[in-house]
Amino acid sequence: MSSIGWTEPPLNAERLALARELHISPVTAQILLNRGIDTAAKARAFLYPDPVNLISPEELPGLTAAGERVIQAIQKGEKILIHGDYDVDGLAATAIILETLARLGVEAEAYIPERLSEGYGLKEKGLKKALELNCSLVLTVDCGITSVKEAGIAREQGLDLIITDHHRPGTSLPEAVAVVNPWLTPGLPPLCGAGVAFKLAQFLSKHFHLPAPDGVAAGWVLDLAALATIADAVPLVGENRLLVQLGLKAMARYPRPGLQALGEVAGLPAGEWTAREVAFGIVPRLNACGRLGSAFPALEILLTPSPQRAWELARHLQQENQSRRYMEESIAAEAETMAVAAMAEGAKGLVLAAEGWHPGVIGIIASRLVEKYRCPVVLIAVMGDRGRGSGRSLPGINLNEIFAGCSSHLLGFGGHALAGGLEIERRQIPAFREAFDRIVASLMAEAPPMPEIMPDAAVLFSQLDWELLRELESLAPFGEGNPPPLLVYNNARIKTARQVGNGGAHLKLTLSGEGRQMEAIGFNLQLPPEVSPGDRVDLAFYLERDNYLGKEGLRLSLAALRPSQPVPLATWSYKEQVAATATATCSTWPRQLTDALAAAPVARIILANSSAVRQCYNGLKRWEGTENNFLPIPPWIGGKSLNRLLNERRSLITCHPFWSFEAVRGREASVVSFLVQGIEEKRSLIKLQPRCAPEQLMLFREPLPLLMGLLAEGQKVLLYERDGVQMVEAAKRLRGEVKDVSVAVDAFSDPRHLLLAREEALSGRMPLLIARREVPAWFYPADAVVFNYFPDSLEEVELALPLVEKTPRVYIRTLEEDWRPTDWRRELIFFYRQLKIGTGNGSRLYIMNNKGYHLRWYLAIFEELGLIQVENQGTDLAIKLIPVTGRTNLMDSRRYRQLLAETEISRQFYRQIAGGR
């Protein structure tokens, strides 16, 4: 599998408000917005089926006239012929009218044309059959809207004709007693043929005061209306969605013997089926006999009240379906070979033709080729000197318009924008292929390129839980216009990858992100050649239930993956959202800093603690993104590196008294911590004011009771751990102990995750976030900030607070061993002796992956005192001792003095918080 492209999912500003009002995830709210559901009222109607929302039958043009003519026929005892069609929509529509008339004591006749000998639509043969059966009224379902000629024949023969259809009308309507079609009135839902027939059944049911099962007139055929709506791939929104929702429930509550038998042979589970199960389990079996021969067995199975007869018919349809599949596989292989050759020659659209192809299955194969080659496809089954074709197209490329442009080469054509059929003389196929390709090339040049997949929403791994899955499942039934939600996760790391299944056809991945591990399966997918375990990837997937060995879990079903494509933080900055969701200016340190930066250029940010330098830099880097112009100058940076950074002439974040700040460049302001002493007050000096007085900080010893109490109060809790390892361990422990609460980890490796996390928290779906001390979670709107360790200083507390309107409550964990004075002189002497041993005989000592906080600080002190020479070699350090002759005074090192100053600040902070209480 090569990497597949997709557009970034939308991120509507309205989704948070919709999520809050409906108490759903912003992810679900975004999917609703994608479907045009932009208000809470519309969403409730979409999610919760109510028969009251069904449109009235009288709203359909011509339906009242059609119903009154049928009532007249019933009252006069006239014989009625129902003229249907051979696909599931036509068969279900026929069954709906037949069953409704039977409940009224009327025995009607049915006529279903054969696909091979007659083709689609109202035919003269069907009218002759009506005359033979002494019928005076012919009622079409799912056909007839373009049968102008046949309507004239009916009139000449003295037959009254009612046409109910849902296909697009031609330039002139057939002359009939009534023509019922939603297309004739703008704004009506695009019902399938059985949907139109159901409205007629409702009209008759209401007129004759028949019982209304579950409050739905003609509710006894709701299951058939749902079946056809699913089968005909009409948009599953509005009326169609409601019909399917109600119909699937009716299908389970009042099981029809025929559908029950088909479900058994298809291996469907007992209970309420999904639209997908109906589409792939029931529909193909009902369609099979109509594709290969007579469709009457399929009509009979829908109507029979006998379980025994239903079982016999189901077995027959199963055999027909097997035959159809074998035939399909053979034709598909031949068509694929022809498609490869045509595409190699530069074809823009595919017109493939051969003798021996069955006209009943070529449409299915055309659909697969469209999906694979991303272009319009027509397959033509040639029989003698003529051919019958079936075509499929892509959104944005109207197949019906292409056929119209090639009409001089065709005997006839019809259909929709995405699907259609045609008849053609054999000798015209080459000319048609040439014209088809030319028009397709022109349309594809004009149309914007369509992405191969179109995801609904980006997500976090922390959002993928049972609650979200239940919400996504509530969006069902899925189908045309309402596809299953396709989600995206950016920047996941592949831990393991292997091909599984027969011949290694499927891709199984273990993925990590945000301190969480997820399993994913990609059916008929392979790892792209440019991707290996350890790499970061973007994923497009469906969230599904996974039942393996009786254990239920969540699984990502992959649609596609590609190498991770990071975006600049500025592109996805959450500053705008924070501004939009904050109701007043707050004065936490993050707010004071960002306000100062927004008001005027800032030359320096001066803090008292080196740990605060890292916090401040990481916070601003997240906040400002690529706009961040600050460099951190912590004391552990060596002399050469320090000079290089200072020469870059960028604004600085550093600590005092490590660096001297007597001079302020020009009129640029400097921001200084209130803990910094000895700096002359100037107009350009902005002092960070404390928000957390030591006496306001609350202490605790055991985190779990505290967290449980805060969460029970409905508080949003931000929990800080010392480092990433402890953060991930805390998440694992809390997920096991804090039931039914989403525990998220601020290990976000993609800037887009920050925006999603803030939004999830604002919606109330992320009550607990675990972060690490060096990377403050300013984006998280916490009500309470909990330090599961003792911070170094009040600065560390202040910089950990989020950008919120009200200063959160702050809790600090204290243990007796928290404060143990360190003898830094002794530590440094021991470390220097170790260096001497490691660099014996003048050799160099290499320190790999130099990430140690105090290690780098110690080396910087020794380098400043001229005791060692340090060279950076990538991520490694090369250490060489410099010979010394006299005694060295540690107090000559500003970095050492900074270490002592920070130790004193920490000691005083501990005494203020813990020692004095």
Side-chain angles (χ1 to χ4, degrees):
M1 178 188 92
S2 60
S3 299
I4 292 179
W6 59 79
T7 56
E8 286 294 337
L11 193 61
N12 298 72
E14 306 88 349
R15 69 191 224 157
L16 180 57
L18 189 61
R20 281 171 154 173
E21 189 166 359
L22 294 171
H23 303 290
I24 59 175
S25 167
V27 174
T28 310
Q30 179 64 64
I31 296 165
L32 288 171
L33 289 169
N34 295 350
R35 308 292 191 264
I37 314 298
D38 55 4
T39 67
K42 289 181 183 177
R44 292 187 183 100
F46 186 86
L47 295 170
Y48 310 115
D50 188 343
V52 125
N53 294 323
L54 287 169
I55 64 172
S56 170
E58 289 80 4
E59 291 186 41
L60 266 66
L63 193 135
T64 300
E68 288 175 350
R69 179 62 183 91
V70 174
I71 291 168
Q72 178 186 331
I74 293 171
Q75 292 172 340
K76 290 185 177 181
E78 296 179 62
K79 245 185 140 176
I80 305 172
L81 176 81
I82 312 303
H83 189 298
D85 188 31
Y86 42 71
D87 66 4
V88 172
D89 188 17
L91 294 168
T94 304
I96 285 171
I97 301 300
L98 288 174
E99 190 164 317
T100 301
L101 292 175
R103 285 181 178 252
L104 294 170
V106 178
E107 186 178 346
E109 301 290 345
Y111 183 82
I112 306 294
E114 290 200 5
R115 183 190 293 259
L116 297 183
S117 60
E118 296 176 76
Y120 166 78
L122 176 62
K123 300 296 182 183
E124 188 175 354
K125 187 176 177 180
L127 298 174
K128 289 180 178 178
K129 188 67 174 177
L131 292 171
E132 291 174 10
L133 295 170
N134 296 318
C135 296
S136 56
L137 176 62
V138 174
L139 170 64
T140 74
V141 290
D142 192 33
C143 64
I145 194 64
T146 59
S147 302
V148 176
K149 175 186 172 184
E150 288 76 12
I153 295 172
R155 190 173 58 256
E156 292 171 2
Q157 297 293 332
L159 287 170
D160 277 357
L161 178 65
I162 295 174
I163 290 174
T164 71
D165 200 354
H166 73 117
H167 295 96
R168 189 184 291 270
T171 54
S172 59
L173 294 177
E175 291 187 26
V177 172
V179 176
V180 186
N181 191 314
W183 282 101
L184 300 178
T185 298
L188 285 178
L191 298 169
C192 67
V196 177
F198 176 68
K199 291 301 170 184
L200 178 57
Q202 285 193 298
F203 183 92
L204 297 173
S205 174
K206 289 177 180 179
H207 178 83
F208 289 104
H209 305 292
L210 296 179
D214 299 321
V216 182
W220 57 83
V221 286
L222 256 177
D223 58 342
L224 297 179
L227 170 68
T229 302
I230 294 167
D232 214 50
V234 291
L236 286 188
V237 295
E239 181 82 1
N240 289 327
R241 174 181 172 79
L242 186 52
L243 285 174
V244 173
Q245 286 176 305
L246 297 171
L248 289 175
K249 292 183 183 301
M251 210 177 284
R253 193 176 297 125
Y254 314 111
R256 188 176 292 266
L259 295 183
Q260 197 170 25
L262 283 173
E264 289 179 18
V265 298
L268 295 182
E272 187 174 325
W273 295 330
T274 65
R276 178 180 175 84
E277 287 170 330
V278 171
F280 290 95
I282 305 298
V283 171
R285 288 163 175 80
L286 284 171
N287 264 330
C289 61
R291 292 187 183 281
L292 304 182
S294 172
F296 268 99
L299 178 61
E300 184 183 355
I301 200 173
L302 294 178
L303 292 169
T304 181
S306 165
Q308 177 60 36
R309 181 57 181 157
W311 177 247
E312 293 169 1
L313 289 166
R315 291 177 61 189
H316 169 69
L317 294 182
Q318 175 76 347
Q319 291 170 356
E320 291 284 281
N321 191 50
Q322 285 294 112
S323 300
R324 187 266 308 168
R325 289 177 62 183
Y326 294 143
M327 185 183 300
E328 198 178 292
E329 289 172 7
S330 173
I331 297 172
E334 190 175 350
E336 173 67 21
T337 301
M338 298 166 68
V340 169
M343 296 304 285
E345 294 175 2
K348 301 300 181 184
L350 293 173
V351 175
L352 312 175
E355 289 189 6
W357 287 358
H358 197 291
V361 300
I362 55 177
I364 301 171
I365 300 163
S367 295
R368 294 180 189 167
L369 293 175
V370 168
E371 186 176 341
K372 180 171 184 178
Y373 291 103
R374 310 296 297 170
C375 70
V377 176
V378 175
L379 267 60
I380 302 174
V382 179
M383 296 167 285
D385 61 354
R386 290 197 175 189
R388 292 177 60 182
S390 187
R392 299 292 185 271
S393 189
L394 298 163
I397 301 178
N398 191 307
L399 187 65
N400 209 47
E401 291 180 5
I402 299 174
F403 286 170
C406 303
S407 59
S408 60
H409 305 294
L410 302 175
L411 295 171
F413 67 90
H416 309 289
L418 298 179
L422 59 84
E423 292 190 21
I424 188 172
E425 291 182 347
R426 181 180 189 140
R427 61 185 180 85
Q428 288 286 346
I429 292 176
F432 167 67
R433 180 183 290 116
E434 184 178 338
F436 184 88
D437 198 68
R438 184 173 60 253
I439 296 173
V440 168
S442 174
L443 291 175
M444 293 183 80
E446 296 172 3
M450 294 292 293
E452 294 181 59
I453 58 175
M454 297 183 68
D456 278 292
V459 295
L460 302 169
F461 273 175
S462 55
Q463 292 174 301
L464 303 181
D465 56 20
W466 291 108
E467 187 173 5
L468 178 62
L469 180 62
R470 284 190 290 271
E471 287 184 7
L472 298 182
E473 290 176 340
S474 75
L475 301 177
F478 301 120
E480 185 70 25
N482 184 37
L486 182 61
L487 307 176
V488 161
Y489 186 85
N490 293 299
N491 226 6
R493 186 178 296 281
I494 299 178
K495 295 194 72 174
T496 64
R498 57 194 177 99
Q499 298 298 138
V500 298
N502 188 18
H506 313 309
L507 175 63
K508 188 171 179 61
L509 298 177
T510 303
L511 304 157
S512 65
E514 307 166 46
R516 187 177 177 186
Q517 192 164 291
M518 298 292 294
E519 300 296 322
I521 184 75
F523 294 105
N524 299 309
L525 296 183
Q526 293 185 339
L527 200 65
E530 67 270 31
V531 174
S532 302
D535 291 345
R536 291 191 175 274
V537 291
D538 296 337
L539 313 162
F541 63 92
Y542 302 98
L543 183 63
E544 294 181 347
R545 297 175 185 269
D546 180 28
N547 287 291
Y548 182 69
L549 299 178
K551 186 178 180 181
E552 192 172 43
L554 294 175
R555 179 180 71 183
L556 313 186
S557 180
L558 294 176
L561 76 158
R562 66 186 183 190
S564 183
Q565 299 180 5
V567 296
L569 182 57
T571 305
W572 285 80
S573 172
Y574 48 87
K575 289 188 292 185
E576 291 77 9
Q577 192 195 57
V578 171
T581 54
T583 56
T585 301
C586 68
S587 53
T588 58
W589 272 27
R591 174 63 75 189
Q592 293 178 46
L593 282 167
T594 53
D595 285 349
L597 295 180
V602 173
R604 306 171 182 82
I605 298 173
I606 308 168
L607 303 167
N609 270 65
S610 54
S611 58
V613 171
R614 290 181 294 177
Q615 276 183 285
C616 186
Y617 173 71
N618 286 330
L620 288 175
K621 183 179 179 182
R622 274 183 157 188
W623 183 257
E624 296 288 336
T626 54
E627 302 168 6
N628 180 23
N629 194 39
F630 280 86
L631 282 173
I633 307 293
W636 57 84
I637 292 181
K640 290 182 180 179
S641 298
L642 176 61
N643 291 330
R644 177 177 56 79
L645 294 175
L646 293 175
N647 289 333
E648 291 188 16
R649 301 186 62 79
R650 289 167 64 184
S651 299
L652 307 178
I653 307 173
T654 190
C655 44
H656 180 83
F658 164 64
W659 190 252
S660 177
F661 293 96
E662 288 76 14
V664 176
R665 275 184 267 162
R667 296 183 179 180
E668 292 176 325
S670 287
V671 178
V672 181
S673 164
F674 71 92
L675 285 176
V676 172
Q677 306 296 323
I679 292 183
E680 183 183 349
E681 298 286 340
K682 297 186 178 182
R683 288 180 60 189
S684 59
L685 200 65
I686 302 170
K687 212 157 202 180
L688 293 171
Q689 300 300 324
R691 298 301 301 167
C692 298
E695 61 272 14
Q696 295 174 325
L697 304 179
M698 290 164 274
L699 305 183
F700 71 94
R701 288 189 174 273
E702 292 299 327
L704 187 59
L706 172 64
L707 294 175
M708 295 292 285
L710 292 171
L711 292 171
E713 294 173 8
Q715 302 287 297
K716 289 186 285 292
V717 181
L718 176 56
L719 173 66
Y720 279 107
E721 294 284 351
R722 282 190 181 276
D723 54 41
V725 173
Q726 291 182 349
M727 177 177 67
V728 173
E729 287 300 318
K732 289 180 181 177
R733 184 169 60 255
L734 288 173
R735 284 184 183 126
E737 294 174 344
V738 184
K739 302 296 184 184
D740 301 321
V741 173
S742 174
V743 178
V745 174
D746 184 10
F748 302 124
S749 56
D750 189 288
R752 290 163 285 195
H753 293 171
L754 301 176
L755 181 58
L756 295 174
R758 177 175 176 80
E759 185 185 57
E760 185 80 347
L762 288 169
S763 73
R765 299 290 287 265
M766 188 183 283
L768 176 58
L769 178 70
I770 305 175
R772 63 191 188 277
R773 67 188 298 188
E774 290 186 8
V775 186
W778 293 358
F779 62 90
Y780 185 77
D783 302 304
V785 176
V786 178
F787 292 85
N788 201 25
Y789 64 94
F790 201 91
D792 285 344
S793 70
L794 196 55
E795 281 185 341
E796 183 174 339
V797 175
E798 297 283 5
L799 283 165
L801 301 182
L803 280 148
V804 289
E805 178 183 350
K806 182 181 177 183
T807 303
R809 290 183 284 172
V810 178
Y811 300 84
I812 296 176
R813 187 177 187 185
T814 57
L815 298 172
E816 292 180 1
E817 62 270 20
D818 278 332
W819 176 251
R820 291 180 178 176
T822 301
D823 186 340
W824 293 116
R825 179 182 292 274
R826 185 174 181 179
E827 288 283 323
L828 288 164
I829 290 172
F830 176 79
F831 185 69
Y832 183 72
R833 286 173 179 168
Q834 295 298 114
L835 288 179
K836 288 183 72 174
I837 295 171
T839 57
N841 301 320
S843 62
R844 293 192 177 195
L845 172 67
Y846 291 91
I847 299 177
M848 317 300 286
N849 295 319
N850 57 93
K851 303 297 182 185
Y853 173 74
H854 283 105
L855 179 146
R856 292 299 310 277
W857 201 329
Y858 295 170
L859 293 176
I861 290 171
F862 293 149
E863 185 182 30
E864 185 180 20
L865 294 172
L867 298 176
I868 63 173
Q869 180 180 331
V870 181
E871 292 183 6
N872 283 301
Q873 297 186 357
T875 60
D876 304 333
L877 296 175
I879 313 299
K880 182 179 180 182
L881 258 64
I882 297 175
V884 292
T885 55
R887 292 176 63 84
T888 300
N889 187 351
L890 280 172
M891 295 302 292
D892 291 338
S893 166
R894 286 183 297 186
R895 294 178 174 87
Y896 180 67
R897 295 199 301 274
Q898 177 70 32
L899 187 62
L900 295 180
E902 293 193 18
T903 302
E904 179 59 22
I905 289 172
S906 296
R907 186 183 68 82
Q908 290 180 7
F909 180 61
Y910 182 80
R911 289 184 63 186
Q912 283 179 304
I913 303 302
R917 297 191 180 183

